[in-house]
């Protein structure tokens, strides 16, 4: 009735380091549970039925801390089943060393923490770059706007419009990169504004024409007469698509 060990198999010998002769007659709790553990007040079979808080642990899979003969503490999985006859009560304890599983779990936690740290570093980097990139770019766009108001020649106006369009497109791209959380979660929203489709095509043409000439490529834009001047949509996203097709 006091829960003394009457059989100790070879697997238990390998896990805990005690021979069957060493543990026979001792209680299971005083043999495998560290002195500091909260279940040390359990006493034999009655303790297994009621537990430290009057809750039965029979036929339940529990994760506990155990101790080997050499005083090394390690995690185990314990399942206790009862065997009763007319005069005696017995229990059978199935114990599994889960040190490897716990180690893998800790490694996964560490990997998760590293991933979170990397994501935080990415966010901080983008935050810093936002100021480093947008400040000079806004200056370029602002000066371009001032030059367009200073009565430039006709040939200069076309170049300035191209410069302004390219600068604003780059600013849009930078803002989208900075808002990487939307990109990661697929929550980028498309605009629905009225814009001149032919002007957009002409601006893109001007942006690509220099590179085309540099590479000796003939590049031109033709409009279908049925194509409307004004449409509703996201002109910036459309320009991105066309730029990626080049």
């Amino acid at each position: 009735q006091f829960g003394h060990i009457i059989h100790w198999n070879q697997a238990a010998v390998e896990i805990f380091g005690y021979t069957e002769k060493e543990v026979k007659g001792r209680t299971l709790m005083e043999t495998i549970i560290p002195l500091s553990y909260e279940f040390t007040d359990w006493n034999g079979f009655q303790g297994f039925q009621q537990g430290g808080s009057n809750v039965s642990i029979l036929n339940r899979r529990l994760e506990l801390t155990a101790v080997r003969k050499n005083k090394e503490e390690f995690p185990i999985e314990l399942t206790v089943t009862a065997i009763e006859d007319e005069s005696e009560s017995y229990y059978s304890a199935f114990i599994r060393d889960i040190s490897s599983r716990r180690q893998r779990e800790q490694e996964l936690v560490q990997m998760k923490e590293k991933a979170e740290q990397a994501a935080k570093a990415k966010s901080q980097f983008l935050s810093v770059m936002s100021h480093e990139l947008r400040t000079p770019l806004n200056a370029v766009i602002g000066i371009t706007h001032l030059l367009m108001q200073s009565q430039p020649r006709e040939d200069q106006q076309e170049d300035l419009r191209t410069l302004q369009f390219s600068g604003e497109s780059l600013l849009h791209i930078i803002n989208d990169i900075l808002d990487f959380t939307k990109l990661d979660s697929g929550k980028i929203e498309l605009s629905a504004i009225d814009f001149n489709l032919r002007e957009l095509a002409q601006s893109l043409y001007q942006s690509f024409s220099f590179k085309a000439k540099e590479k000796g490529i003939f590049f031109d834009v033709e409009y279908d007469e049925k194509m409307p001047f004004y449409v509703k949509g996201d002109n910036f996203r459309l320009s991105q698509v066309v730029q990626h097709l080049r």
Side-chain angles (χ1 to χ4, degrees):
Q1 67 181 28
F2 296 105
H4 294 151
I5 298 172
I6 60 174
H7 178 61
W8 187 259
N9 63 18
Q10 185 57 35
V13 174
E14 294 174 1
I15 292 175
F16 294 98
Y18 294 104
T19 64
E20 185 175 26
K21 184 178 179 180
E22 288 176 305
V23 299
K24 234 174 183 181
R26 299 175 61 176
T27 65
L28 183 66
M29 285 302 172
E30 69 176 326
T31 304
I32 72 169
I33 301 299
L35 293 175
S36 59
Y37 210 77
E38 61 180 318
F39 297 135
T40 52
D41 60 338
W42 289 359
N43 186 17
F45 183 74
Q46 190 66 26
F48 276 110
Q49 287 182 312
Q50 296 181 353
S53 57
N54 296 323
V55 178
S56 173
I57 68 166
L58 291 175
N59 303 311
R60 292 174 58 196
R61 187 175 297 176
L62 302 175
E63 291 188 7
L64 308 173
T65 299
V67 63
R68 306 186 204 274
K69 181 179 178 180
N70 62 5
K71 307 304 180 185
E72 176 192 353
E73 295 186 5
F74 65 105
I76 64 168
E77 188 176 82
L78 170 68
T79 305
V80 179
T81 59
I83 304 172
E84 299 185 58
D85 59 26
E86 295 179 358
S87 58
E88 295 289 344
S89 296
Y90 305 89
Y91 57 83
S92 178
F94 296 88
I95 298 172
R96 186 158 64 101
D97 185 343
I98 59 173
S99 300
S100 298
R101 190 182 78 188
R102 283 286 180 85
Q103 183 178 355
R104 289 194 298 270
E105 290 173 352
Q106 290 175 356
E107 289 173 353
L108 288 173
V109 170
Q110 291 174 354
M111 290 174 61
K112 178 176 178 291
E113 290 175 350
K114 287 181 180 180
E116 290 173 348
Q117 290 172 358
K120 185 177 181 181
K122 176 184 176 182
S123 177
Q124 291 174 341
F125 170 77
L126 291 177
S127 177
V128 171
M129 290 303 295
S130 69
H131 298 289
E132 297 296 329
L133 293 175
R134 286 190 293 186
T135 300
L137 187 56
N138 281 324
V140 171
I141 294 172
I143 291 174
T144 303
H145 180 71
L146 291 175
L147 290 173
M148 291 182 66
Q149 292 182 329
S150 62
Q151 298 181 342
R153 299 192 311 268
E154 184 64 31
D155 60 323
Q156 292 175 326
Q157 288 182 13
E158 194 65 40
D159 291 339
L160 288 172
R161 280 194 291 269
T162 301
L163 179 61
Q164 185 180 37
F165 172 79
S166 298
E168 290 175 348
S169 295
L170 181 57
L171 185 60
H172 275 296
I173 293 171
I174 291 172
N175 288 335
D176 271 355
I177 292 174
L178 294 172
D179 200 3
F180 71 93
T181 53
K182 287 186 177 180
L183 291 172
D184 288 342
S185 59
K187 293 182 179 179
I188 289 294
E189 296 180 0
L190 297 177
S191 300
I193 60 174
D194 294 322
F195 66 94
N196 190 312
L197 186 57
R198 295 196 182 191
E199 284 186 3
L200 176 64
Q202 186 63 27
S203 296
L204 288 169
Y205 167 75
Q206 290 297 125
S207 298
F208 301 150
S209 59
F210 176 76
K211 267 298 183 191
K213 289 178 183 178
E214 192 179 59
K215 294 182 178 181
I217 299 173
F218 175 74
F219 180 59
D220 197 12
V221 176
E222 294 183 0
Y223 300 105
D224 188 325
E225 292 301 323
K226 297 179 181 179
M227 186 182 79
F229 277 89
Y230 287 93
V231 295
K232 184 183 289 290
D234 194 321
N235 60 332
F236 171 63
R237 303 293 175 198
L238 180 59
S239 67
Q240 275 188 313
V241 171
V242 175
Q243 290 181 60
H244 284 301
L245 291 175
R246 60 189 170 131

